[in-house]
Amino acid sequence: MMEHRDFLSITDLSFNEIEKIFSKAKEHKYSMPVQSLYGKSVVLVFEKASTRTRISFEVGIARMGGHPIVLTPEGTQMARGEPLKDTARILSGYCDGIVMRTFGHIRVEEMAHFASVPVINALTDLLHPCQVLADCFTLSQRFGELAGKKIAWIGDGNNMANSWINAAAVLGFELALACPEGYDPDQGIMDSALELGAQISVTRDPAAAAAGAIAVNTDVWASMGQEDEADGRRKEFSGFQVNGKIMEHAVPEAVFMHCLPAHREEEVTEDVLEGPQSIVWEQAQNRLYVQEAIVDFLLRQ
Ligand code: CP
Ligand code: NVA
């Protein structure tokens, strides 16, 4: 099997590698990328819905001269029960990289295990590393070095929260999470981050998490696959909305962040989402450049 690197989690990268990726992303943001993927094909396997991730990968690969192929399971032999481990080996024979969005994290791990080309996690139930890496790039463009600064997460301890924990461990910023009881982030991910010396706290008090933060982050209360829990979660999360009052606890130059799609008047009020502190459109735009840099980094190994 050919030697290759995967990107399943932010912890797959070192601090220095992330710096390199950010510097490449910056180049791609301000000038057209070189055709480093000329003659290469990357398959994008999407087992869940997506607007931003799918289109930004597809456009990014094309901008670098590569050929993106989007595969949704319907219409493939995957939907008819062909094992993932067989699909992984077949796709590796035709393509130079695999991007995958799926449900259980174990599926992307299985894909990576059996593929002989780099596999990129485009979101699982456990992690969303491409989004959070792009978000850290967005913050670093605005605030410089993130180490030592405080970032807040308010809401569900979900795939986004887990990836923020991983990012705090590698990039050295302080992360304060406020989650309702029963909706804490993954304990294993927390423990590993704490072992690495990360400064992470979990509270039930959104104002305390936001206090002194440079960025206040949130996400939907019911993620993809949790649609049946949406009504119950709306009650459980009612005190965890990001609104103007919560933003007042952050530093005056603080930004509001959301990976999108957003549910207005649930996890965030319309005035915050559309207000002057919101950088949600910039975050979404930067997905393109950071993902281009990730693909470039992995496919050059
Ligand atoms: N933020 C994000 O990943 O959006 P999509 O689900 O539209 O890809
Ligand atoms: N936590 C959300 C993120 C969507 C980009 C979900 O998994 O649905």
Side-chain angles (χ1 to χ4, degrees), residues 170-193:
V170 182
L171 295 177
F173 54 81
E174 180 189 343
L175 182 68
L177 302 107
C179 310
E181 202 168 346
Y183 297 94
D184 283 346
D186 183 86
Q187 195 56 51
I189 291 176
M190 268 293 267
D191 291 344
S192 310

Side-chain angles (χ1 to χ4, degrees), residues 48 101 123-124 128 131 158-160 219-220 222-224 259-261:
K48 276 180 177 170
R101 169 171 287 196
L123 181 147
T124 62
H128 196 2
Q131 175 75 52
N158 62 11
N159 43 11
M160 282 290 298
D219 186 12
V220 291
S223 285
M224 287 181 274
C259 63
L260 304 177

Side-chain angles (χ1 to χ4, degrees), residues 234-299:
R234 233 170 258 130
K235 290 186 197 91
E236 306 258 22
F237 284 76
S238 62
F240 288 78
Q241 182 188 67
V242 178
N243 50 36
K245 279 213 153 351
I246 291 295
M247 291 305 295
E248 276 173 21
H249 293 275
V251 298
E253 66 276 22
V255 292
F256 168 73
M257 302 181 88
H258 193 310
C259 63
L260 304 177
H263 292 161
R264 289 164 164 84
E265 306 308 328
E266 281 192 21
E267 73 272 6
V268 59
T269 53
E270 168 90 7
D271 63 320
V272 168
L273 185 73
E274 297 285 0
Q277 287 176 290
S278 173
I279 57 164
V280 298
W281 316 117
E282 191 183 326
Q283 278 179 262
Q285 183 65 41
N286 283 335
R287 299 286 304 279
L288 179 63
Y289 315 118
V290 173
Q291 287 163 191
E292 285 176 359
I294 294 168
V295 172
D296 181 76
F297 176 79
L298 294 178
L299 267 60

Side-chain angles (χ1 to χ4, degrees), residues 1 16 51 78 80 84 95 98 106 132 149 200 217 225 230 236 252 259-260 273 277-278:
M1 203 178 278
N16 288 340
T51 298
M78 287 169 81
R80 297 182 59 250
L84 190 60
C95 299
I98 299 171
I106 197 166
V132 173
K149 304 205 167 73
I200 303 174
N217 274 278
E236 306 258 22
C259 63
L260 304 177
L273 185 73
Q277 287 176 290
S278 173

